[in-house]
Amino acid sequence: MVRLLILSIMMLATLRLSAQLQYEEIDIEMVKNEIKRDSLTRCINVNYEFEPSVFYVDDICIVHLYQWARGDEDNISLRFYKYENGKWNFKNEIPCFNKKMEKLSHSLFHVYSDKNMAMYRMKRYESVMRYDNFDMKPLFEYKGYDWTYHLGYLYNVRNEEFNSFLGEEVCDDYEISDIEIVSDTLKSYKLTQTKRILKGYNPDEDNDLQTIDTRTIKDVIYRK
């Protein structure tokens, strides 16, 4: 009986592997050419530091990539493809303002902004999302900011504007970690919140921004 059960599990695993292998990996150059054909004003900047990422959910492919539009702000998007009749067919594109994305389980993803993404006024975004019918649905999301780099710049070039921030909250940043997933279901995560109030600047030290920091760490149990 035990041997039969083991054989059944092995056969099921083999069938799943075969199903995955029948889909060829998507061609990123094909994706870029499709975007170029959409509009003459859009193109891919292949030399940009952000490299495309590719994820598969069964016969669905999700391409997370950077785009540059002439005359407009830079753009990061998610493009969805479905494997049909021996090729990848485009289905949908949605904007995505997150420079990084990682797959957590079969259909759950962690998307987040890089803490060093901006030199001055920095915004941060953290979320766990679920793939849903050529779209991504957030299970939770946090939006934060950190102006400390920007204030270091202001002290050196516009000191009066820097002084207007004294005593003000200049950072409210969120970061998630220790994400627990069980059977493609989000169970819990750790949330770290950092707040900073501007106290001053020490001119005798290089880039010595003085702040009063408060950090709160808590374990969050996810409930739908």
Side-chain angles (χ1 to χ4, degrees):
M1 182 66 180
V2 175
R3 180 177 297 179
L4 180 61
L5 178 60
I6 294 175
L7 288 174
S8 298
I9 294 174
M10 291 178 62
M11 290 179 61
L12 180 60
T14 302
L15 288 174
R16 288 179 176 175
L17 180 60
S18 298
Q20 293 175 356
L21 292 177
Q22 68 177 321
Y23 307 123
E24 298 178 358
E25 291 186 359
I26 198 165
D27 183 356
I28 292 297
E29 292 303 317
M30 179 270 291
V31 174
K32 294 178 180 180
N33 290 333
E34 281 187 352
I35 295 174
K36 292 175 183 178
R37 288 196 300 267
D38 287 345
S39 171
L40 295 178
T41 62
R42 301 173 68 193
C43 69
I44 295 295
N45 184 349
V46 295
N47 295 322
Y48 190 70
E49 63 179 9
F50 175 67
E51 294 294 332
S53 298
V54 178
F55 307 94
Y56 297 92
V57 181
D58 297 327
D59 59 347
I60 306 301
C61 180
I62 305 170
V63 182
H64 180 227
L65 79 169
Y66 169 88
Q67 298 180 34
W68 174 71
R70 294 187 181 95
D72 296 326
E73 293 184 358
D74 296 342
N75 177 50
I76 298 174
S77 65
L78 294 176
R79 289 175 67 88
F80 297 85
Y81 292 82
K82 183 176 177 61
Y83 198 79
E84 300 171 317
N85 301 319
K87 65 178 182 178
W88 291 103
N89 294 313
F90 172 74
K91 295 297 181 180
N92 189 30
E93 177 177 307
I94 61 174
C96 178
F97 302 101
N98 308 291
K99 293 185 65 176
K100 295 186 178 181
M101 180 172 176
E102 60 181 347
K103 191 174 184 181
L104 299 174
S105 62
H106 178 260
S107 60
L108 295 182
F109 296 82
H110 177 206
V111 295
Y112 53 102
S113 297
D114 192 337
K115 292 180 84 64
N116 297 319
M117 65 177 291
M119 186 179 299
Y120 301 126
R121 296 197 181 199
M122 182 186 68
K123 294 183 179 180
R124 182 173 177 80
Y125 178 86
E126 289 263 5
S127 176
V128 168
M129 294 187 171
R130 180 182 296 279
Y131 166 76
D132 183 12
N133 193 28
F134 307 114
D135 200 354
M136 301 295 287
K137 304 296 184 183
L139 302 186
F140 68 81
E141 52 188 352
Y142 297 94
K143 297 178 181 179
Y145 69 92
D146 186 351
W147 291 357
T148 53
Y149 292 106
H150 176 70
L151 289 167
Y153 161 78
L154 285 183
Y155 179 83
N156 291 294
V157 298
R158 293 200 295 270
N159 194 258
E160 290 185 3
E161 186 175 349
F162 172 87
N163 290 334
S164 69
F165 285 95
L166 291 174
E168 298 293 328
E169 185 177 270
V170 295
C171 172
D172 187 7
D173 193 19
Y174 297 84
E175 187 171 3
I176 61 173
S177 60
D178 299 341
I179 303 171
E180 181 185 7
I181 306 290
V182 178
S183 301
D184 204 37
T185 300
L186 175 64
K187 294 297 183 180
S188 65
Y189 57 94
K190 181 174 292 184
L191 175 65
T192 301
Q193 181 181 14
T194 301
K195 291 190 175 186
R196 293 189 176 97
I197 295 176
L198 181 63
K199 183 180 178 181
Y201 196 95
N202 185 352
D204 297 327
E205 298 288 341
D206 185 26
N207 294 327
D208 186 14
L209 193 70
Q210 297 176 325
T211 59
I212 301 174
D213 296 2
T214 303
R215 177 168 294 178
T216 304
I217 302 175
K218 63 180 180 179
D219 294 319
V220 180
I221 305 300
Y222 177 75
R223 295 181 176 86
K224 295 183 180 180

